[in-house]
Amino acid sequence: MKVKKGIVLWALLNFVSVAVFSQAYPAVVGDKYVNRQPAARAKLGKSVEVVSGTGKDKLVGWKKGVNADASAAPDLIFTIKVPAAGFYELSTEAIPVAEGATGPEHVKIQIGNRRPTKRILFDSYHGGHQVAGKFEMEAKEEQVKIWLPQGMRLRYIEWKNANDPAIPEKAQRYTPAIKPPASHPRIWTTPQTLPAIKARLTQGENKAAWDKVRASAIVPFRFDFNPQEEIFYREDVEKAVETKAFYYLMTGDKTVGREASKLMRDYLSVLEFGNVTYGDITREIGRSIYVAALVYDWCYDLLSESELADLRHHMLRLARDMEIGWPPFMDSIINGHGNEAQVSRDLLAMSIALYDEDPLPYKYTAYTVLEELVPMRKFEYESPRHNQGVDYGAYRLGWEMHAVWLFYRMTGHPVFDDNIKHLPYYWLYMRLPDGYMLRDGDMFSVKGGTNAPLYWKQPMQMLLSYAYANDPLLKGEFQRQGGLPDNPVLFLLVNDPALPADHDLSKLPQTMDFGKVLGGVVARTGWNNKPESKDVIAEIKGGGYHFANHQHADAGALQIYHHGIQVGDIGLYLSYGPPYDFNFNKRSIAHSMMLAVDPNEKLRFRTKLQDGGTRFNQRFPQSKEETTTDPWFDYGKVMAADFGPSKQKPAFSYFKADLTGAYSSKMAQYSRGFMFLNLFRDDVPAVIILTDDMTTADPAFKKYWQINTLNKPQTDSDRWVLHNSLNGQEGKTHVQMLLPAAGDRKLEVLGGPDANSTFGTRFEVKSAKPEASAFRMMVTPDKANARDRFLTVFQMAEGDAKPLPVSFRENGGVYQIRVADRIVCMSAGAEFAQEAFTIEVPAGASWQVVLAGLKPGFWNIRQEGDQLKFNTNVVDGKNTVHFTAGAGKYTVTPGRVYGAKDVE
């Protein structure tokens, strides 16, 4: 019998639709599998019903008058059959019954006969669309049971491939040259280094830490759990496990070692982080992996094959839920959260522990550390400061130092460049007498009140740094930060009690030049970091590269501290990414630096407002080559940096940078020069001379010379006065702008709420910190010019001490400023001075003369009457000359004069 084609086609389509209905719209497109199952098509329990919507938008919720009962039968039952065994991601879509709900609301889910799990169904972070998690599925039909919270309505659940992160081709082909040794232990110690660690347990300061570990380890830890109920992260369990595993490693006490092993396996059997994403939960996930790795390695000889396999399973299970993913290529190890503990401690420790049974994890983690992180840091740390600033830089360096140590102890050889040993001095130089730090990057640490400031600290980073570098001064800073009482195990692993702590910072030069990768200078008048200190500390930034994330758009920013912040940054890091953060806090406008407003400048990366500053960057480079060849990361060039004549207590500190590249094409040319003078006086301890030479592409682009201060400045005359106080002592900064002249400029002062604004758009800043109600001083030239120059003198004075007289003239392309017993000549333009000029030295005591910003090569200095005549070779990159002069007229000429004495 013949059958019509149309009937056959209808029957076939009808059969397919039934099949699709039973699987609720699965689809396989290439290697992507998506299976969305509407809630209305699930098998519904007695307590729920279809409550609203039509078609695919139907919602299932609780019936009116029914009370929730968590022990009752499931509210919805779905059926799922995935196309192949593997990991699949489950998502949910739900809406709250009540308007304005913020949650969180949790749903209970059970797949087949597995242990039920609790997952977030709705919260304020992701709303109603939630990724419930990744589940390992078999290619068989299974039921998915849902217990719906009473205040929620479910639209659908959706299954799709939980694809692993793509593995770079180089990582796939990688064969590590450095491999873990064949024996255990190999995390933090080896059979070769273990005797030395044991021998130090009862020596010096280690004894108190060891007594603490022993007292805790020998006491049994009670851990009650139900194998059928999952639990969330418990720090107390993990600390107990780590302590007991370490005690076994040190003593061989098998009773304690077996307890550590059982406790960890019991804990992992019920540990579930679910789909929590807030609070950077990956840090807690990683800590669990790390502690499991310690047990695997330190208690290896106590574990059976099945127990080792159990630990491996759980570590890799948890690794999949980390932000960097597994394999660890979802994020970069160079910057961001990937540059924290995830790889450098957690996954690296795991991979070292598992190497014999499963070498693949080590292959991937070793690739990211040795082939990506190590070469990039060798380049970056040519400048001994961290591009992520004071807080995030210290936090991330602390984790980086874990990788440094893990490889060093495992192999006996360093794999990171030795310049990492010098990096921590950045934090010593940024330290302020109020206990806090000069601002740099996003600052998340809490600062106390002005009467009892807290001492800024990151002791873990200092511990690992001083122990690795064997540095007494860094150990002194570790002790000033209070040590690491909450982590005696880490302390005992690395601390050498024979290394004395040195608290005498006066051994360090008072000025630090940070080089050319992250240009800048910090200059101090002393190292008295106590509240009663009269020291002046100043910083200038500029030149180098921009590395994004928590780094600010602050090329050229000035900071001055004297009894409190006098000039500085007024942005506050309240959270990452909201309008205030991307349009004010991280932007140039919150810093003391030059702005030039191009109304048509292209905005980038979630920015909404023109602030006139340098380019805002949130894309970071992955290699030295990318950093130095891609103009995106160019943040200007360091032209010169020098200090002297004494390197220990310099009388002058000079810096100049070409910052043109830091701005968009609105900037044709811009350079900023900085001279810090330590006057060695009690009344006016320091003077700063600041030069700016800016040419914009369009004269109509309005320029702003800006400094920010925390207290209302006095501006009723041509000299402005800033002030701050600490410990009952007041410091004042007298600001005298020499160019533009008073009649050629306008001053605007924004205070309080107006200061927290970006050219008319105000931000509400809820904080008790003084930065939230600070002041901005903005100077603009009276007329629109393509090129404008600014010359400003800052005098930091004690209390009511009078500022010193300042004389100024310009000739031969240099500014000449006379103050106290100093005569300073600085190049007046964007380029180095290259013409002859004269200096008039008045009668009186001898004067210290500094010539700064001279072009490289020979110069001749001759006093009228030839009483003083010499040649000197100006070094490229320093570009300064310093000498002592008596009264008279001096001619400074480029070139070398025959018959004159050559001096350095």
Side-chain angles (χ1 to χ4, degrees), residues 328 524 625 645:
R524 315 171 65 98
E625 181 183 17

Side-chain angles (χ1 to χ4, degrees), residues 109-321:
I109 302 172
Q110 184 179 26
I111 300 172
N113 294 320
R114 304 180 206 179
R115 181 176 63 210
T117 183
K118 185 174 72 172
R119 303 296 165 114
I120 297 172
L121 184 66
F122 178 87
D123 63 12
S124 59
Y125 293 89
H126 302 291
H129 184 78
Q130 300 280 337
V131 176
K134 299 172 184 176
F135 299 89
E136 189 170 10
M137 307 291 288
E138 298 180 12
K140 66 177 184 179
E141 190 173 274
E142 290 194 89
Q143 289 188 334
V144 180
K145 303 169 185 177
I146 300 287
W147 284 262
L148 191 66
Q150 196 160 11
M152 296 298 301
R153 295 173 175 176
L154 184 68
R155 176 170 282 127
Y156 63 79
I157 67 170
E158 182 176 275
W159 292 91
K160 64 180 181 180
N161 302 77
N163 295 320
D164 292 336
I167 303 170
E169 185 178 343
K170 289 182 179 180
Q172 295 179 39
R173 301 196 309 265
Y174 183 62
T175 300
I178 299 172
K179 298 178 181 179
S183 59
H184 292 271
R186 51 198 184 204
I187 299 175
W188 288 111
T189 187
T190 62
Q192 291 73 37
T193 60
L194 187 57
I197 297 174
K198 289 181 178 181
R200 296 192 309 213
L201 290 175
T202 57
Q203 295 177 5
E205 65 239 9
N206 283 15
K207 185 178 184 303
W210 173 241
D211 289 344
K212 186 175 183 178
V213 166
R214 181 172 53 191
S216 175
I218 62 177
V219 176
F221 186 92
R222 180 172 176 176
F223 177 56
D224 297 321
F225 70 101
N226 181 347
Q228 295 305 311
E229 293 182 5
E230 62 190 23
I231 68 167
F232 196 56
Y233 168 76
R234 277 185 54 179
E235 186 176 5
D236 62 332
V237 176
E238 294 182 3
K239 281 190 173 182
V241 169
E242 181 180 17
T243 301
K244 291 175 183 295
F246 178 74
Y247 186 79
Y248 169 68
L249 182 65
M250 294 296 110
T251 66
D253 187 327
K254 292 184 178 181
T255 300
V256 175
R258 289 192 183 97
E259 185 189 3
S261 166
K262 184 177 187 305
L263 182 56
M264 192 71 213
R265 288 182 286 108
D266 287 345
Y267 174 63
L268 289 175
S269 72
V270 291
L271 176 64
E272 179 57 66
F273 289 89
N275 58 337
V276 173
T277 57
Y278 54 81
D280 296 323
I281 195 65
T282 198
R283 293 167 179 163
E284 281 71 36
I285 297 173
R287 169 74 184 181
S288 301
I289 294 172
Y290 171 67
V291 176
L294 296 181
V295 171
Y296 196 101
D297 183 52
W298 293 351
C299 304
Y300 187 84
D301 59 341
L302 297 178
L303 296 165
S304 66
E305 289 188 11
S306 63
E307 290 169 339
L308 290 170
D310 188 40
L311 287 172
R312 285 199 304 275
H313 163 75
H314 284 296
M315 283 189 273
L316 290 169
R317 168 181 72 87
L318 292 171
R320 290 181 175 274
D321 289 331

Side-chain angles (χ1 to χ4, degrees), residues 650-718:
F652 77 90
S653 303
Y654 174 64
F655 180 81
K656 184 169 185 174
D658 180 345
L659 302 177
T660 309
Y663 293 79
S664 69
S665 59
K666 68 185 177 183
M667 196 66 66
Q669 180 70 49
Y670 171 47
S671 70
R672 169 162 272 197
F674 167 91
M675 177 67 75
F676 181 91
L677 300 176
N678 185 351
L679 300 184
F680 303 103
R681 297 171 59 121
D682 293 332
D683 57 344
V684 182
V687 168
I688 292 173
I689 303 168
L690 192 69
T691 69
D692 293 283
D693 187 348
M694 178 177 282
T695 302
T696 51
D698 188 333
F701 295 165
K702 197 168 184 178
K703 304 179 185 72
Y704 295 88
W705 179 97
Q706 176 177 275
I707 57 173
N708 302 325
T709 188
L710 299 184
N711 299 305
K712 186 176 182 179
Q714 179 184 329
T715 58
D716 53 1
S717 67
D718 288 346

